[in-house]
Amino acid sequence: MKGCFLINYSVVQKLANNNNANNLALFTSITVCFQNSCFIISMLAFLINRGGGWAPERTDRLRWLQVDLRERVEVTAVATQGRFGSPDWVTSYMLLYSDTGRAWKQFRQEDNIGTFSGNINSDGIVHHKLSHSIRTRFLRFLPVDWSPGGWMGLRVEVYGCAYKSDVADFNGRSSLLYRFNQKSTSTVKDVISLRFKSQRGDGVLVHGEGQRGDYITLELHKGRLALHINLDDVKMHPSSGHVSVFLGSLLDDQHWHSVLIERFNKQINFTVDRLTKHVRTGGLDDSLEVDYELSFGGIPLPGKPGTFLRKNFHGCMENLYYNGVNIIDLAKRRKPQIYSGNVTFTCSEPQLVSATFLSSSSSFLSLPLDAATETLSVTFQFRTWNREGMLLSAWLRRESERLLLLLVHGQLRLTHHRSALQSSDIVIGQALSDGQWHTVSISVGGFQVSLSVDDEPPSTMQLKDIAQPERSVLIGGCPSVLTNQGCRNPTLAYQGCMRSVIINNQPINFNLVQQGLLGNYSKLQFDICGIRDRCLPNYCEHDGECSQSWNTLFCDCSGTGYTGATCHNSIFEPSCEAHRLTGSASGFFSIDPDGSGPLKSTVVYCNITDDKVWTVVNHNSTEMVRVQGSSLQKPHVMKFNYSTSLEQLRTLVGRSEQCQQEVVYLCRKSRLFNTWDGTPLSWWLDRAGERRTYWGGFLPGVQQCACSLDENCIDMNHFCNCDADHSSWYEENDTGVLSYKEHLPVTEILVGDTNRSGSEAIYRVGSLHCYGDRFLWNAASFYQESSYLHFPMLQAELSIDISLYFKTTAPSGVFLENLGAKDFIRVELSAPSVVTFTFDVGNGPVVLMVKSHLPLNDKQWHYVRAERNVKEASLQVDQLPLRFLEAPSEGHTHLQLNSQLFIGGTASRQRGFLGCIRSLSINGMTLDLEERAKMTPGVSSGCPGHCSSQNSLCHNRGKCIEKSSGYVCDCTHSAYGGPNCKKEVSMSFESGSSVTYTFQEPFSVMRNHSRQSSAIFAQSSNSRESIAFSFLTTQTPAMLLTVNTYHQQYMAIILAHNGSLQIWYRLNREKEPDIFTPTSLNLANGEILRMSRYISLSLTLLSTDKELITIRSLTLGKVTGRAGVDEEVLQAGSRGFIGCLSSVQFNHLAPLKAAILNRGSSLVSVLGNLVESNCGELADKSSSRSLGKKLTNAAQSDSAVIGGLIAAVVLITLCAVAVMTRFLYRHRNERTQQMASVKEKDHQPRPELRYRAELDLHGAMRDSRKEYFI
């Protein structure tokens, strides 16, 4: 191929064996180097004698094969082979390149992979086409791993083409000026391309400006490229057209970097080394006006060549083109339109040799000092990302004295250790771990030590004695052999690059160090700075801020609304329906409809009702708007700006089951359509900006109004009421509801027929209302092992999160699989109790497993979430411990897939899943399993059994009822209401108020009844009674609740004079009543804001031979005239209750709720004024002020308190054993021991299984409340 070359050392061997001198002459310009010795082609016999290939001596410390191509060429591919006829080959290697044979750079493939896979035998040839070509003169093959049964052996081929370029060298005081033929030039399209290399982090490369304020500037700033463009007149539009773009990093590495700037009007494409940013300028103008000239290398002052406004460029440029003009070629040919100031046309190569400290634990460089030296001065430059590390250590001649220079939190700290207990410090610098080169100088002499960094003035430290250095200096860390001598890395060894090391005014020659002729070292790499920017590109999603250390990156997700290692996961629920499931009430909420997708969260109003959950999105004009004087030529136009973006609205509407938007249109001599030809006179625009002429309540595409559909227009000759063109207002109008959600929301309305005399229109476009979440319960059932659903290939190169619910009885099955040529991703139930997440991105398979102690194929819903990103992978199953694995710091990051996504099966149709999968979400987007299942054999839409979830969906005794696409909670037998039976049912009692519930027939609490009976008679246990309620009051004494039977038994719960809670009960009318006081706290001290209490009471009675039988009534509040009731109870009953009662539960009866819902019933008697209220809200306000401390102290002093929050909420479980123990203690001592054992059993931390279900019903009440068990 013309202009291309091939270097083939296996061919060289063959030609040498044939002794073909002519063919050998073809290769005489090629040089092959090992270590530091070079061998031209005439020395190939040395290779042949060793078996046909390169192999280093086993004693060689430096093992690499270097190729000198004699001039810069463009290399496109390499190939390797083992050593002929031997067990020697290289299994992996690094490829380095350089223009000078110094200052090497490691070639990195896609995903920043720095190693190439090599050979597995001596004969096979492994080719690698480079992901991008490199223009270089020198190549170095650096073995990383080799034949396990042999040694390193290598034959290489290099492929490429010739490369020519025009080069200009800028010395920091030079520039090229390209002058235009006319005074100024105005362009709408510009293309600037160039390549550059520099060892300086700052300098202007390109600049041009115009008199009206246009400018374009390309400059290096701290190793990054910045492009500044302004297209507007700064006097008329100051700063409106300015745009600045930053791209690239670590560009001051003495290696070539390519730049391409393409501008067309306002659109700009800015590319640096294969990374591209697309931006648009602001302002009004599209053209760039530049006066007189463009400058390259700096911004010269007018009339003063060589004098620059800003720091100019120091380095080389090549192939510099402006709009097709080769600027350097014109300068070399001394064309008149080019002014060349101090520019040369060969690239000078400064010999700044770097060393890379590779290990944060074991890298070090030990350098000797002259034995006669009395002082010490050290200067060096370093660059790193690590905030911690040891830079230098020097022993002084006095015993135990040592100087230690550390990098601590990005600052320099120089410590003088006089002894183990005495030290003094100097701390200077800020943010020195920013990846930039920093210059450090240390001077030790006499009684003083000084330290300086960069351009800061030095800081000094005074010593008590003269400091004299020992015979060596350690840089970067401490060798392990000196550990016993007190040299230890106090934090981490230095990990980064270092250059220009000067000790006592003598530059350190790294070549001598590398050859072992000077000092000693470990884990260092010479002639290369191995730093790389892991934040370029930025793998932190959703505007997360990226930072890094030498080996990894970190993402700061603060303020983004996302979380996770790469800010991938949204912290917000996807919909109002999801907020309902968490138990939230109506209010404003942030939702993120696309989850971890690209769209940000938005704030909406969630109207959570018992039957539906409405999502409400407002816009800028929800009031009535009056329109007059508009026509089609000059119409009235109103644009609607919603509280969220159209992209977010599109996602929200698509996720909802149904959406609607009311349009109110009142008219007087204002038509919607022309009555003669039907031409629309008014219309609205949908979310895509398309014109729509149908009005509320009708199908899209039909020019009619709702009255036409309902056949009730005031004039049946027209399809809209307003088209009747009446001159007076009518109650009838063309108001309706738009409900075709693919067109919603309305983005603009136009009114065009109000310019006639007396013509007028009034309209209002309401907020967007949507309800339901069609993905929340989107499910599919798989009933054939060979069946599956397929979807388009996953778009998940860098990150993916997968979440789903499943239930099955099968022992195993694949939930999800997507394959590539080599890469893949799979989530499966691999065993009855094991979920496995497996993937391969090119580094070998990664397997994460979560094992449950219980089977997962139990026909219950189980939750699975798997995530993989460039930082880590994780797997979560239900509430089991999270399994995660960190990604390797060096390795492939892109997941390369090329096939369809399989759900419920695999491409091989093996290990298919049998069961149900629902709510399958991938990267925030939920797959529509139901729709795809309709057209797939072996799979059906939907999956019954939502209520079988192990997580309680309905709380507080609510009953879960299956629906076709979800569930509903039946709260009939619950004291709570709301969609999940979590909403408190509360009433405010005034003086004299009461609620009495009369039982329909004699009701025995302790008698077993049929489970089919109503709530009034039902009883779950023959020896258990449960009472629960909440209250808020400031009155004492007070009657909270009383229960009476037909046999003159009673139980009363009162607040005594001192505010303590007392439970009175008389089970035997022959005996005195028993009184139980669960707490002596004053629960009502008269200060409602400070001392009001929100008390939750749960009362459980167990009995043996005595029981409450034939209950007659239950009363809340005031009670009068009860015979057989004790005086204190009567007094409390006469005072009644003033305050708030909430969520009263008596076994399976909710008397307070029944009183609210069944007023007028013969079973419910209400006296006085009762008002529905919210006790909990009031309690939260009062308890959050000053009660917390007092209640906490009181609770801690009570031996019965077992936990809870300080809302002073008391959960009391009273065992009848406690009742009967006290009763029988006085009357039947012989049974005391038996009763005590029962009591002890009831106090065990884990109740018996038969009580667990009922205890769980109080779970919501126990949350954030204190619990008392008696």
Side-chain angles (χ1 to χ4, degrees):
M1 181 169 62
K2 185 177 179 180
C4 298
F5 66 88
L6 165 66
I7 304 172
N8 185 326
Y9 295 114
S10 60
V11 174
V12 171
Q13 177 200 343
K14 180 178 180 182
L15 294 175
N17 287 337
N18 291 337
N19 197 22
N20 189 328
N22 292 329
N23 286 336
L24 283 175
L26 295 174
F27 295 88
T28 55
S29 62
I30 306 301
T31 303
V32 183
C33 300
F34 321 70
Q35 203 166 325
N36 294 309
S37 302
C38 294
F39 298 85
I40 60 173
I41 293 304
S42 60
M43 297 293 292
L44 284 177
F46 177 73
L47 298 179
I48 296 167
N49 291 335
R50 296 183 63 176
W54 167 79
E57 296 289 345
R58 292 182 181 268
T59 57
D60 287 348
R61 191 170 186 178
L62 308 175
R63 300 158 180 167
W64 35 254
L65 171 65
Q66 181 174 313
V67 179
D68 182 359
L69 303 174
R70 308 299 292 177
E71 62 181 5
R72 290 178 67 208
V73 296
E74 186 168 3
V75 179
T76 58
V78 296
T80 59
Q81 194 176 22
R83 200 161 68 93
F84 179 78
S86 74
D88 303 337
W89 57 84
V90 172
T91 58
S92 66
Y93 61 92
M94 292 190 293
L95 182 65
L96 280 61
Y97 61 95
S98 169
D99 281 355
T100 63
R102 309 296 301 274
W104 294 86
K105 185 170 185 177
Q106 183 178 358
F107 180 85
R108 291 187 176 274
Q109 307 175 74
E110 294 180 355
D111 288 346
N112 273 309
I113 301 301
T115 59
F116 290 79
S117 58
N119 302 92
I120 59 174
N121 54 47
S122 61
D123 298 325
I125 299 176
V126 177
H127 293 266
H128 286 286
K129 183 178 180 181
L130 303 185
S131 57
H132 58 278
S133 62
I134 50 177
R135 300 165 179 89
T136 188
R137 173 178 171 177
F138 293 92
L139 288 176
R140 182 178 284 181
F141 294 83
L142 184 64
V144 175
D145 204 356
W146 48 88
S147 166
W151 182 234
M152 302 178 193
L154 195 62
R155 289 175 283 176
V156 299
E157 293 179 347
V158 181
Y159 305 83
C161 301
Y163 177 72
K164 299 295 182 181
S165 65
D166 294 306
V167 180
D169 187 279
F170 299 80
N171 62 7
R173 298 178 301 278
S174 55
S175 67
L176 288 177
L177 303 181
Y178 174 58
R179 295 191 171 98
F180 305 128
N181 294 328
Q182 60 273 19
K183 180 179 179 181
S184 66
T185 180
S186 178
T187 58
V188 296
K189 179 180 179 181
D190 290 301
V191 178
I192 300 175
S193 63
L194 60 94
R195 286 167 52 83
F196 75 92
K197 71 174 180 177
S198 176
Q199 60 177 339
R200 306 284 178 87
D202 297 277
V204 174
L205 282 83
V206 182
H207 176 76
E209 63 183 54
Q211 291 184 352
R212 71 170 195 166
D214 292 25
Y215 58 80
I216 178 171
T217 302
L218 177 68
E219 66 174 335
L220 268 175
H221 179 66
K222 293 186 176 180
R224 303 181 67 197
L225 270 180
L227 175 64
H228 312 285
I229 292 182
N230 181 60
L231 302 182
D232 260 2
D233 190 327
V234 294
K235 295 180 180 179
M236 299 180 60
H237 312 287
S239 73
S240 63
H242 171 79
V243 64
S244 293
V245 191
F246 293 86
L247 196 57
S249 177
L250 308 175
L251 301 177
D252 54 344
D253 59 354
Q254 303 183 61
H255 288 275
W256 289 103
H257 300 280
S258 60
V259 182
L260 176 62
I261 303 170
E262 299 171 299
R263 182 188 69 87
F264 182 73
N265 294 332
K266 292 185 174 68
Q267 182 65 41
I268 299 172
N269 300 329
F270 183 33
T271 303
V272 177
D273 292 341
R274 303 175 305 282
L275 289 176
T276 301
K277 277 191 176 181
H278 307 280
V279 295
R280 284 184 63 86
T281 63
L284 302 177
D285 291 332
D286 294 332
S287 61
L288 174 66
E289 292 190 11
V290 178
D291 293 340
Y292 300 111
E293 63 194 14
L294 272 177
S295 65
F296 301 93
I299 305 177
L301 282 171
K304 296 182 179 180
T307 305
F308 296 89
L309 287 171
R310 298 162 77 168
K311 186 176 291 187
N312 49 325
F313 176 70
H314 192 291
C316 300
M317 294 189 207
E318 70 174 6
N319 297 343
L320 172 57
Y321 286 86
Y322 169 68
N323 289 341
V325 178
N326 188 334
I327 301 298
I328 298 177
D329 178 65
L330 293 179
K332 289 168 64 176
R333 293 190 287 131
R334 300 182 181 276
K335 292 298 181 180
Q337 60 266 48
I338 294 291
Y339 170 80
S340 175
N342 297 323
V343 175
T344 60
F345 301 105
T346 57
C347 187
S348 61
E349 301 289 351
Q351 298 298 317
L352 287 177
V353 179
S354 299
T356 302
F357 291 71
L358 299 173
S359 172
S360 64
S361 59
S362 55
S363 289
F364 72 89
L365 171 61
S366 176
L367 296 172
L369 296 176
D370 188 347
T373 185
E374 297 291 331
T375 62
L376 174 66
S377 65
V378 181
T379 301
F380 59 87
Q381 292 182 327
F382 76 94
R383 74 188 313 175
T384 184
W385 297 117
N386 287 357
R387 291 168 53 83
E388 317 286 336
M390 173 179 160
L391 288 171
L392 181 141
S393 177
W395 291 96
L396 304 181
R397 292 182 182 176
R398 291 178 59 85
E399 185 178 358
S400 301
E401 269 195 289
R402 182 185 180 196
L403 283 176
L404 189 63
L405 180 63
L406 301 176
L407 190 62
V408 180
H409 302 305
Q411 294 182 291
L412 286 181
R413 176 186 295 170
L414 179 62
T415 303
H416 175 224
H417 291 276
R418 294 187 295 274
S419 66
L421 301 177
Q422 292 183 318
S423 64
S424 53
D425 294 333
I426 297 175
V427 179
I428 63 172
Q430 293 288 338
L432 300 179
S433 56
D434 58 356
Q436 303 297 310
W437 284 109
H438 298 282
T439 302
V440 179
S441 294
I442 304 173
S443 177
V444 182
F447 293 91
Q448 183 173 282
V449 177
S450 67
L451 174 67
S452 65
V453 60
D454 296 334
D455 297 326
E456 294 185 15
S459 297
T460 60
M461 178 193 308
Q462 298 299 322
L463 306 180
K464 292 183 178 180
D465 301 298
I466 295 177
Q468 294 181 328
E470 274 285 357
R471 296 184 179 182
S472 65
V473 171
L474 286 171
I475 296 177
C478 288
S480 57
V481 294
L482 297 181
T483 300
N484 294 332
Q485 301 179 27
C487 182
R488 295 182 178 87
N489 297 322
T491 52
L492 299 172
Y494 173 70
Q495 194 174 25
C497 300
M498 197 171 288
R499 71 184 184 188
S500 302
V501 180
I502 302 174
I503 299 180
N504 291 336
N505 298 318
Q506 295 295 320
I508 300 301
N509 189 335
F510 279 163
N511 291 329
L512 297 179
V513 176
Q514 186 179 23
Q515 296 172 34
L517 302 178
L518 177 65
N520 189 21
Y521 69 92
S522 173
K523 297 294 179 68
L524 261 67
Q525 193 173 11
F526 293 96
D527 278 355
I528 185 172
C529 178
I531 191 171
R532 69 184 182 97
D533 194 339
R534 297 177 184 272
C535 291
L536 189 71
N538 186 1
Y539 291 123
C540 301
E541 303 177 52
H542 303 110
D543 299 327
E545 184 176 343
C546 182
S547 61
Q548 58 190 305
S549 66
W550 189 264
N551 292 321
T552 189
L553 63 91
F554 309 96
C555 294
D556 183 0
C557 309
S558 303
T560 64
Y562 295 84
T563 187
T566 59
C567 308
H568 178 75
N569 306 310
S570 177
I571 64 176
F572 301 110
E573 299 290 347
S575 64
C576 287
E577 187 72 28
H579 275 290
R580 179 185 74 90
L581 292 179
T582 65
S584 300
S586 297
F588 286 96
F589 293 94
S590 290
I591 63 171
D592 195 343
D594 76 332
S596 57
L599 300 180
K600 295 293 187 73
S601 63
T602 184
V603 177
V604 299
Y605 183 79
C606 296
N607 185 14
I608 302 176
T609 64
D610 288 342
D611 55 340
K612 288 182 180 178
V613 179
W614 290 94
T615 303
V616 183
V617 183
N618 295 317
H619 56 73
N620 59 321
S621 179
T622 56
E623 302 298 326
M624 288 288 190
V625 178
R626 186 181 297 270
V627 182
Q628 291 178 311
S630 65
S631 65
L632 286 180
Q633 291 72 33
K634 294 183 178 180
H636 165 86
V637 178
M638 172 66 75
K639 294 184 178 180
F640 301 103
N641 298 318
Y642 289 83
S643 58
T644 183
S645 68
L646 287 178
E647 290 79 8
Q648 291 169 323
L649 283 172
R650 185 179 295 109
T651 304
L652 187 152
V653 170
R655 191 181 184 100
S656 303
E657 292 181 10
Q658 184 175 333
C659 292
Q660 62 187 43
Q661 198 165 9
E662 184 186 46
V663 177
V664 176
Y665 194 90
L666 310 177
C667 51
R668 183 174 65 180
K669 294 187 66 176
S670 175
R671 298 161 297 168
L672 291 172
F673 300 97
N674 189 306
T675 54
W676 296 102
D677 58 9
T679 302
L681 300 176
S682 296
W683 58 81
W684 54 275
L685 302 185
D686 64 12
R687 69 179 182 223
E690 297 291 332
R691 188 170 77 168
R692 301 297 172 185
T693 57
Y694 68 95
W695 296 86
F698 211 79
L699 297 175
V702 181
Q703 295 188 172
Q704 296 182 10
C705 298
C707 67
S708 178
L709 178 65
D710 298 334
E711 297 183 353
N712 60 1
C713 294
I714 59 176
D715 186 343
M716 295 306 297
N717 293 317
H718 303 286
F719 295 122
C720 294
N721 287 322
C722 291
D723 290 348
D725 208 21
H726 288 286
S727 59
S728 58
W729 298 103
Y730 278 84
E731 292 185 3
E732 294 86 353
N733 53 69
D734 287 314
T735 295
V737 176
L738 302 173
S739 56
Y740 189 70
K741 72 174 190 174
E742 281 71 16
H743 290 169
L744 296 178
V746 177
T747 59
E748 185 177 307
I749 192 169
L750 182 145
V751 179
D753 186 31
T754 62
N755 62 334
R756 293 176 292 159
S757 176
S759 180
E760 188 175 7
I762 299 175
Y763 73 87
R764 178 176 64 83
V765 176
S767 302
L768 177 67
H769 289 68
C770 297
Y771 74 82
D773 187 338
R774 67 190 188 94
F775 292 138
L776 200 59
W777 294 95
N778 191 289
S781 301
F782 299 81
Y783 52 88
Q784 291 182 8
E785 196 171 40
S786 61
S787 63
Y788 58 84
L789 301 177
H790 60 84
F791 290 85
M793 182 184 71
L794 289 176
Q795 301 299 317
E797 286 193 345
L798 294 174
S799 60
I800 183 173
D801 68 277
I802 303 167
S803 62
L804 59 92
Y805 290 87
F806 78 92
K807 66 175 180 177
T808 184
T809 57
S812 64
V814 174
F815 303 133
L816 172 151
E817 182 185 81
N818 205 164
L819 304 178
K822 295 181 179 179
D823 297 0
F824 69 90
I825 186 168
R826 183 184 303 116
V827 183
E828 62 183 318
L829 181 69
S830 55
S833 59
V834 180
V835 173
T836 304
F837 175 36
T838 314
F839 63 89
D840 188 350
V841 296
N843 306 316
V846 176
V847 180
L848 282 85
M849 291 192 300
V850 171
K851 186 173 183 179
S852 171
H853 60 284
L854 296 174
L856 299 173
N857 59 341
D858 55 357
K859 207 176 181 181
Q860 301 293 315
W861 284 113
H862 296 282
Y863 175 69
V864 176
R865 188 181 189 278
E867 181 181 358
R868 177 261 157 189
N869 54 57
V870 298
K871 284 275 293 178
E872 64 186 25
S874 63
L875 177 63
Q876 177 83 60
V877 178
D878 293 334
Q879 301 301 317
L880 297 173
L882 177 73
R883 289 293 308 276
F884 78 96
L885 185 67
E886 290 187 359
S889 59
E890 300 287 341
H892 292 276
T893 56
H894 286 71
L895 178 64
Q896 305 286 351
L897 304 174
N898 60 10
S899 64
Q900 290 182 321
L901 168 66
F902 288 81
I903 305 298
T906 65
S908 61
R909 299 196 177 191
Q910 297 178 355
R911 296 185 296 156
F913 175 74
L914 295 175
C916 294
I917 297 177
R918 71 170 174 89
S919 300
L920 173 57
S921 178
I922 300 176
N923 281 346
M925 300 304 295
T926 305
L927 302 186
D928 195 344
L929 303 179
E930 293 184 352
E931 191 64 30
R932 190 60 60 97
K934 293 177 182 177
M935 58 187 76
T936 305
V939 187
S940 62
S941 298
C943 182
H946 305 103
C947 295
S948 63
S949 170
Q950 64 181 22
N951 299 320
S952 179
L953 300 174
C954 302
H955 303 268
N956 302 306
R957 300 177 184 247
K959 181 181 179 182
C960 184
I961 300 176
E962 294 286 351
K963 302 285 285 186
S964 59
S965 60
Y967 71 95
V968 294
C969 292
D970 181 2
C971 306
T972 303
H973 299 164
S974 172
Y976 291 75
N980 294 88
C981 305
K982 295 175 70 175
K983 179 181 178 182
E984 289 185 348
V985 177
S986 310
M987 293 189 75
S988 292
F989 286 68
E990 297 181 358
S991 178
S993 300
S994 68
V995 172
T996 300
Y997 194 98
T998 303
F999 291 87
Q1000 195 168 6
E1001 61 183 58
F1003 175 57
S1004 176
V1005 176
M1006 300 303 171
R1007 191 168 300 157
N1008 211 4
H1009 288 274
S1010 169
R1011 292 183 180 271
Q1012 283 71 36
S1013 59
S1014 69
I1016 300 176
F1017 310 108
Q1019 196 54 230
S1020 60
S1021 171
N1022 62 354
S1023 61
R1024 186 177 181 86
E1025 178 189 8
S1026 180
I1027 301 173
F1029 62 90
S1030 305
F1031 71 91
L1032 176 72
T1033 186
T1034 59
Q1035 172 203 349
T1036 60
M1039 172 62 71
L1040 297 172
L1041 177 148
T1042 181
V1043 177
N1044 289 276
T1045 72
Y1046 286 96
H1047 298 273
Q1048 297 183 4
Q1049 296 171 310
Y1050 76 90
M1051 180 181 65
I1053 304 175
I1054 69 172
L1055 285 179
H1057 286 277
N1058 62 359
S1060 63
L1061 188 71
Q1062 293 184 351
I1063 303 171
W1064 292 62
Y1065 47 91
R1066 185 198 294 270
L1067 302 181
N1068 189 336
R1069 61 184 177 182
E1070 306 277 335
K1071 307 298 182 183
E1072 291 296 320
D1074 285 301
I1075 307 171
F1076 174 66
T1077 304
T1079 176
S1080 59
L1081 287 175
N1082 178 8
L1083 302 180
N1085 69 351
E1087 299 179 13
I1088 188 169
L1089 291 178
R1090 295 177 55 250
M1091 298 301 292
S1092 297
R1093 296 295 187 266
Y1094 184 43
I1095 307 300
S1096 172
L1097 175 68
S1098 179
L1099 176 65
T1100 303
L1101 296 178
L1102 302 176
S1103 183
T1104 54
D1105 57 346
K1106 293 295 181 182
E1107 59 187 24
L1108 289 172
I1109 55 175
T1110 58
I1111 294 178
R1112 180 170 58 187
S1113 64
L1114 181 150
T1115 301
L1116 305 173
K1118 185 174 183 179
V1119 180
T1120 58
R1122 295 290 174 89
V1125 176
D1126 297 274
E1127 182 64 29
E1128 192 166 344
V1129 176
L1130 282 176
Q1131 185 178 358
S1134 64
R1135 293 289 302 274
F1137 175 75
I1138 300 176
C1140 189
L1141 272 175
S1142 173
S1143 305
V1144 181
Q1145 186 90 44
F1146 179 74
N1147 293 321
H1148 294 289
L1149 179 67
L1152 189 61
K1153 184 177 177 182
I1156 295 174
L1157 300 178
N1158 301 294
R1159 289 195 178 186
S1161 169
S1162 59
L1163 301 179
V1164 179
S1165 174
V1166 178
L1167 298 178
N1169 187 22
L1170 296 177
V1171 181
E1172 287 192 54
S1173 67
N1174 190 331
C1175 298
E1177 206 170 273
L1178 181 58
D1180 291 339
K1181 293 178 181 178
S1182 59
S1183 64
S1184 64
R1185 300 191 179 183
S1186 60
L1187 298 182
K1189 183 176 181 180
K1190 182 172 182 180
L1191 284 181
T1192 301
N1193 294 335
Q1196 289 175 347
S1197 65
D1198 194 328
S1199 62
V1201 175
I1202 68 167
L1205 299 176
I1206 333 173
V1209 180
V1210 183
L1211 177 61
I1212 303 171
T1213 303
L1214 177 61
C1215 302
V1217 177
V1219 178
M1220 297 311 301
T1221 299
R1222 298 182 62 175
F1223 177 76
L1224 294 175
Y1225 180 76
R1226 293 173 294 177
H1227 301 287
R1228 286 182 255 181
N1229 289 332
E1230 66 274 10
R1231 300 187 60 183
T1232 302
Q1233 185 175 357
Q1234 178 185 353
M1235 294 299 100
S1237 64
V1238 178
K1239 178 178 179 180
E1240 181 180 351
K1241 183 177 181 179
D1242 196 69
H1243 278 277
Q1244 291 177 354
R1246 297 175 179 265
E1248 293 180 4
L1249 290 176
R1250 66 193 184 95
Y1251 296 139
R1252 285 182 181 174
E1254 185 166 351
L1255 290 175
D1256 289 342
L1257 293 174
H1258 298 285
M1261 189 179 297
R1262 289 196 303 265
D1263 294 342
S1264 75
R1265 300 178 181 175
K1266 294 196 179 299
E1267 302 176 4
Y1268 286 78
F1269 293 90
I1270 295 92

